[in-house]
Amino acid sequence: MNALKAFLKESPRVKSFVHYLLLPSGQARPRRWVSWLINPFVHPRGNGSRVCGTVRLDVLPFQPFSIGRDSTIEDYSVINNGVGAVAIGDGVRVGISNVIIGPVTIGNDVITAQNVVISGLNHSYQDIHRPIRRQPVSVAPIVVGEGSWIGANAVVTAGVRIGRNAVVAAGSVVTKDVPPFCVVGGNPARIIKRYCEASGKWERATLART
């Protein structure tokens, strides 16, 4: 696979033709023959994993996509690996109508509620003479630590790392890293609570700092 990628980089015309074979021009969803005949053999799925029937898998064979053991992607979600790999760990539940755009790594035992957006993709807008959709895109990996919970309607932006056993409150927009064992909320999200090892309790952020 690496040799094929290197060959395509050195052959723009061949790359363009292969790209056309894989997905229609201007679209993110691969052609049906790719979804049926190629993706099942190049994208590993763990035992007991489940991708519900209405999930839109915009995944292509030249980027990694994996889902671990006993993990579920609920209905109406969209998974896209067009610009970066998507790796979903074991025991993960991706909630209804989630959108996950790589590069994204989700650790084991993570829960995401409904309508969560996790996108490692961003659009450039430096050139004011060109529509934004025609400008280059940038990517920055997102990592969601194991055991975390992301509430409904939350947005996690490119480059963010969410620590182990962290909680993102519903409706939050996460633009900065979240430490382990913290609760964050708001737009932009800030730390609301931390777990205090000394007291063995979850404490409000101001008290925990004191």
Side-chain angles (χ1 to χ4, degrees), residues 29 37 79 109 194:
R29 177 179 287 184
L37 301 178
I79 310 296
D109 300 313
R194 295 179 187 267

Side-chain angles (χ1 to χ4, degrees), residues 64-186:
F65 165 68
S66 61
I67 177 171
R69 292 179 289 105
D70 301 318
S71 291
T72 300
I73 303 176
E74 294 284 4
D75 281 308
Y76 309 110
S77 293
V78 178
I79 310 296
N80 186 302
N81 74 341
V83 294
V86 175
I88 298 172
D90 299 332
V92 174
R93 181 168 293 273
V94 176
I96 295 172
S97 297
N98 278 209
V99 176
I100 299 175
I101 302 174
V104 172
T105 300
I106 298 177
N108 298 337
D109 300 313
V110 168
I111 303 172
T112 66
Q114 302 77 27
N115 304 308
V116 171
V117 176
I118 304 174
S119 178
L121 167 72
N122 208 347
H123 289 271
S124 299
Y125 51 90
Q126 283 81 5
D127 187 349
I128 63 170
H129 302 292
R130 297 171 62 193
I132 292 173
R133 70 180 297 268
R134 300 190 183 280
Q135 297 190 45
V137 299
S138 61
V139 295
I142 293 173
V143 178
V144 181
E146 64 180 43
S148 297
W149 172 26
I150 301 179
N153 301 303
V155 176
V156 181
T157 60
V160 165
R161 298 180 67 91
I162 295 176
R164 179 183 177 188
N165 281 47
V167 177
V168 176
S172 300
V173 178
V174 185
T175 60
K176 295 182 179 180
D177 290 356
V178 178
F181 308 108
C182 283
V183 179
V184 300

Side-chain angles (χ1 to χ4, degrees), residues 22 129 191 195:
L22 294 175
H129 302 292
I191 296 174
Y195 181 77

